[in-house]
Amino acid sequence: MVTDVVLADGATLSFHTMGAGPLVVVCGGGPSTTFEYLLDDLQPLASDFTLAFHDYRGSGHSSSAPPATYTFEQLAHDAHALAATLGFDTFDVLAHSMGGMVALSIALNYPMSVRRMVLIDSSPSGVSSRMAWPTIKALGARRFAKVCIRGARYLLWWRWRDDSEARTRARFSIMGTMQEGAPEHREEVRQRELFADNDNSPYLERHAATFDVVDDLASIQTPTLVVYGTLDAPFVAGSRLLLDHLPNATEVRIEGSGHHPLVEDHDYVIAEIRRFLGAS
């Protein structure tokens, strides 16, 4: 069941909880997604934790808000307010993809509130000058050529067309090529990638491209589990930054996995998360 909470500025945040125990605030990826894609994969953790899934302001069931509030810092404030609404002063954060930028913003703004963090295929930076070359190296020559072909196809066939779901999917396919895992998992992964026409998408995409907290990571003392698939080139680069700069980071490297280790090696990843969070 989806429940709403009205935030201090009047925006409405929609959320869903399952389980019982210490709170884990789940920060999903995006921006063109909703929390639903993580529900089934994380459900096993509900035996030990209260999982709080939520749609960011301007996403899914949550209300629209002023575009100026579509920032990762504001999303961090919203997540903290959600935890308070649920009656928790301290909580864990589990984030995937773009949700890692929200999670890091929570840890930076509320260091005493976050007990532990799990960052799955996440990055502390989206700035091309920092990320481009490490991503290209992680891709390798063959996959880099494939990305270039898809990028050229998008520019020639889609870039000049009006906005549409097909155009957006074509653009996302470029990133998808950089993130795809083993062929046997690709159909299952595609079923998780629910497209949503969220109001916040263009703003968060631009914000992600300028987001960089690498120099602030040393101040985050929160124990952090960094999980990443070795075929997810942008987030191999991002995870390396997290592991190199977070003082209390632990690595879980999933060989042959792409952007969705929770799909591609589900039982192992859930076991590692459960162990890290201290499940009974």
Side-chain angles (χ1 to χ4, degrees):
M1 182 180 70
V2 176
T3 307
D4 292 337
V5 59
V6 179
L7 302 167
D9 66 352
T12 300
L13 199 71
S14 295
F15 66 95
H16 169 75
T17 61
M18 66 169 70
L23 178 65
V24 179
V25 174
V26 179
C27 297
S32 297
T33 57
T34 66
F35 69 71
E36 280 91 346
Y37 82 97
L38 288 169
L39 285 174
D40 290 342
D41 294 328
L42 294 178
Q43 191 276 334
L45 296 175
S47 60
D48 295 283
F49 302 97
T50 299
L51 303 178
F53 302 84
H54 67 291
D55 284 330
Y56 305 124
R57 58 174 58 212
S59 297
H61 298 285
S62 294
S63 71
S64 298
T69 68
Y70 294 150
T71 67
F72 297 120
E73 185 172 33
Q74 181 59 58
L75 301 189
H77 296 324
D78 294 348
H80 187 265
L82 173 60
T85 296
L86 295 172
F88 291 87
D89 296 322
T90 60
F91 52 91
D92 299 323
V93 179
L94 190 158
H96 174 240
S97 191
M98 185 199 76
M101 294 179 174
V102 181
L104 291 169
S105 299
I106 298 171
L108 288 167
N109 283 277
Y110 302 99
M112 302 305 294
S113 295
V114 182
R115 190 181 70 101
R116 291 180 183 270
M117 278 196 298
V118 178
L119 303 178
I120 304 174
D121 287 87
S122 300
S123 177
S125 177
V127 177
S128 60
S129 60
R130 192 190 289 275
M131 298 297 295
W133 180 239
T135 298
I136 291 170
K137 288 198 296 183
L139 278 169
R142 183 184 62 83
R143 293 178 69 204
F144 179 61
K146 187 177 179 181
V147 169
C148 290
I149 290 169
R150 287 203 172 179
R153 184 183 302 155
Y154 174 78
L155 289 173
L156 290 171
W157 183 252
W158 290 106
R159 183 67 180 85
W160 50 273
R161 295 174 181 267
D162 293 337
D163 281 338
S164 66
E165 181 175 336
R167 180 177 182 267
T168 299
R169 288 187 181 279
R171 179 164 56 87
F172 284 0
S173 74
I174 302 169
M175 177 64 85
T177 303
M178 292 191 277
Q179 299 177 311
E180 64 188 5
E184 61 267 25
H185 296 295
R186 289 177 191 168
E187 180 56 36
E188 190 176 2
V189 165
R190 275 193 288 270
Q191 292 174 10
R192 297 296 197 284
E193 294 178 338
L194 306 173
F195 178 82
D197 187 18
N198 294 326
D199 290 346
N200 61 20
S201 292
Y203 303 97
L204 290 180
E205 284 185 24
R206 288 195 291 269
H207 191 27
T210 61
F211 184 85
D212 192 301
V213 295
V214 173
D215 293 339
D216 299 320
L217 295 180
S219 68
I220 298 177
Q221 299 301 312
T222 306
T224 303
L225 187 69
V226 178
V227 182
Y228 66 98
T230 59
L231 297 180
D232 187 2
F235 293 102
V236 169
S239 296
R240 190 73 264 155
L241 288 171
L242 292 168
L243 291 163
D244 288 345
H245 295 278
L246 281 171
N248 295 307
T250 302
E251 178 181 28
V252 173
R253 173 186 169 102
I254 312 297
E255 294 291 339
S257 174
H259 191 55
H260 291 271
L262 278 166
V263 175
E264 298 171 75
D265 203 347
H266 177 264
D267 292 348
Y268 175 68
V269 174
I270 287 293
E272 289 297 313
I273 294 172
R274 189 188 301 278
R275 184 179 300 113
F276 178 76
L277 295 180
S280 57

